[in-house]
Amino acid sequence: MVEEHLEELAELARASDVAVVGQTLQRRRSPDARTFIGKGKAEEIAVAADHLAADLVIFDDDLSPVQVKNLEEIVDKQVIDRSALILEIFVQRARTREARTQVELAQNEYLLPRLTRRWTHLSRQAGGIGVRGGEGEKQLEADRRMLRKRIQHLKRDLAKIERSRKVQRRGRRDASVIALAGYTNAGKSTLFNRLTRAGATVEDKLFATLDSKLRRGSLDHDGSAVVFSDTVGFIRKLPHHLVASFRSTLEEITHADVVLHVVDRSSDHWQEQMEVADEVLEEIGVERDRVVTVFNKSDRVDGEGPSQVSDDRPAVWVSALTGAGVDDLKSEIRARLNGDRRALA
Ligand SMILES: Nc1nc2c(ncn2[C@@H]2O[C@H](COP(=O)(O)OP(=O)(O)OP(=O)(O)O)[C@@H](O)[C@H]2O)c(=O)[nH]1
Ligand SMILES: [Mg+2]
């Protein structure tokens, strides 16, 4: 289990253009308050990192600001945790004004209690991870003040963006909205393209999509229009600052009439990934009865297997890549929408 999590961490590092030169594990009953791992292990990492000429040491678990500081002293390299890495990927990927504002807010909130000399200006310099600041305490205090101001500013901006999103949503009330959600790399954008013929970015890389994208599409030949919404992927231990600042993007899912929970059924870890996405969906207030579970990448699974997760949770098999099963999925969506209307009448 821990090994698989480390593999995902390596995947995240690669998504952020960081090359992985070594990995190590430590098993212990409880984390050390000061250094997370044991001091001896930290010293061992210091030697290995030096030997491998690493610039950066990444931990799969969240570290407290104090732990980062102590570890950096021992390892003598920049130390970051999983949350910082995910934030960095988001920073690199954010394109629209909304996504950039959300990401910067999340990163600054994360950074504020962690601002040390090494972290200074991390997000603002080209090169991102690995950049070291070298200024003194005075500069640090000034940076903290600047960061606090910036956070206030970003929050105001975001409030404005959220208001205009609300207005847009009201304007779409005539059409039903179908949101695609799920673990990162599950194939949401591929399915979105298949359902709408839109050209959303598809990449075999974590977090290819950050901005939610809306496109009209139709569920049958008579052409009754619906709106599909492609959204940011979820991942195990998504930093809570990100969930908080992506609230307005995630609201596209919360307000959707039907949510397609896309699962990469060909992954060895599909169950865990599905559970992680279930948790996020629950957290943002999506009721189970609005969710259609979609088993994607059927072309990579031998003999498909049962069309359900459990007795009370059916699933639709599709291959977003080949288009297999997509008509069944459309019928399922239609049925859900009709069910909705009946329930409302
Ligand atoms: N074999 C196979 N590959 C697929 C299928 N659907 C998607 N993929 C591949 O899976 C990878 C991820 O696809 P995306 O559509 O970008 O996934 P996503 O869920 O939008 O990912 P993020 O935006 O990064 O969260 C790409 O390499 C796709 O080509 C499928 O049905 N079969
Ligand atoms: Mg995508």
Side-chain angles (χ1 to χ4, degrees):
M1 202 65 155
V2 188
E3 284 84 355
E4 287 156 14
H5 291 171
L6 264 193
E7 194 33 59
E8 185 179 76
L9 189 71
E11 203 54 53
L12 282 168
R14 284 190 282 271
S16 170
D17 290 326
V18 170
V20 180
V21 292
Q23 309 190 348
T24 182
L25 285 177
Q26 184 185 41
R27 287 179 207 281
R28 53 183 293 146
R29 223 169 292 147
S30 61
D32 187 288
R34 281 164 308 131
T35 50
F36 189 71
I37 50 176
K39 193 153 178 278
K41 184 71 180 177
E43 280 158 4
E44 190 187 299
I45 291 175
V47 174
D50 227 30
H51 181 68
L52 295 162
D55 304 305
L56 180 68
V57 179
I58 309 175
F59 283 73
D60 193 42
D61 293 273
D62 278 340
L63 301 171
S64 71
V66 171
Q67 287 167 338
V68 171
K69 186 168 164 286
N70 291 334
L71 283 166
E72 286 190 334
E73 260 159 37
I74 301 172
V75 179
D76 198 29
K77 301 272 185 272
Q78 188 184 9
V79 171
I80 66 169
D81 60 18
R82 181 185 174 86
S83 289
L85 181 62
I86 294 175
L87 284 164
E88 189 58 35
I89 297 171
F90 274 62
V91 169
Q92 290 175 7
R93 300 283 162 79
R95 290 287 172 272
T96 62
R97 179 168 153 246
E98 178 172 26
R100 282 208 307 270
T101 310
Q102 290 171 324
V103 170
E104 195 188 337
L105 177 61
Q107 199 184 33
N108 286 346
E109 301 239 37
Y110 175 87
L111 223 55
L112 190 58
R114 291 176 173 77
L115 212 58
T116 66
R117 275 171 235 173
R118 279 181 208 265
W119 266 101
T120 314
H121 301 314
L122 176 91
S123 64
R124 252 161 288 284
Q125 278 181 21
I129 290 180
V131 174
R132 288 185 185 190
E135 297 89 349
E137 283 301 320
K138 245 195 180 149
Q139 179 65 48
L140 214 55
E141 216 11 81
D143 279 349
R144 279 200 193 104
R145 262 200 311 277
M146 188 189 74
L147 214 53
R148 275 192 210 102
K149 257 188 147 158
R150 184 79 191 140
I151 287 172
Q152 289 314 313
H153 180 86
L154 289 166
K155 280 188 173 162
R156 273 198 300 272
D157 266 4
L158 212 53
K160 261 187 245 161
I161 294 170
E162 276 172 27
R163 276 197 296 277
S164 73
R165 229 183 216 288
K166 262 194 198 119
V167 173
Q168 283 168 14
R169 255 202 303 273
R170 241 175 270 146
R172 287 201 306 265
R173 261 193 311 214
D174 55 323
S176 302
V177 177
I178 326 290
L180 289 94
Y183 211 76
T184 183
N185 217 40
K188 300 175 294 298
S189 298
T190 311
L191 187 58
F192 176 75
N193 289 344
R194 170 95 27 213
L195 290 163
T196 62
R197 298 190 181 82
T201 309
V202 169
E203 265 182 286
D204 190 12
K205 152 163 153 180
L206 306 184
F207 299 114
T209 308
L210 278 203
D211 307 303
S212 59
K213 236 197 192 78
L214 298 161
R215 283 283 181 288
R216 283 190 180 262
S218 76
L219 291 174
D220 45 32
H221 300 298
D222 76 11
S224 60
V226 289
V227 172
F228 288 96
S229 151
D230 184 20
T231 59
V232 57
F234 306 148
I235 198 162
R236 197 173 61 85
K237 291 199 267 181
L238 200 59
H240 74 269
H241 289 311
L242 266 183
V243 179
S245 59
F246 268 76
R247 199 184 57 219
S248 64
T249 301
L250 295 171
E251 271 179 7
E252 290 296 342
I253 305 175
T254 314
H255 292 287
D257 299 284
V258 172
V259 176
L260 305 182
H261 178 169
V262 184
V263 179
D264 174 355
R265 191 57 175 67
S266 73
S267 164
D268 292 338
H269 317 306
W270 69 270
Q271 260 160 321
E272 193 198 355
Q273 295 177 347
M274 189 181 72
E275 278 158 23
V276 167
D278 278 343
E279 272 164 33
V280 181
L281 289 175
E282 197 182 315
E283 201 182 318
I284 62 174
V286 176
E287 306 84 11
R288 272 288 173 97
D289 60 2
R290 269 195 291 147
V291 178
V292 174
T293 307
V294 182
F295 283 168
N296 188 33
K297 309 199 186 179
S298 64
D299 57 290
R300 284 183 17 183
V301 180
D302 276 340
E304 288 197 354
S307 296
Q308 61 180 48
V309 179
S310 58
D311 283 347
D312 59 351
R313 185 166 177 190
V316 184
W317 281 93
V318 303
S319 166
L321 200 67
T322 67
V326 170
D327 283 339
D328 293 341
L329 176 60
K330 285 183 178 176
S331 322
E332 178 63 29
I333 298 170
R334 268 199 309 270
R336 291 292 181 106
L337 287 174
N338 290 334
D340 262 7
R341 287 204 192 104
R342 263 204 300 280
L344 288 174

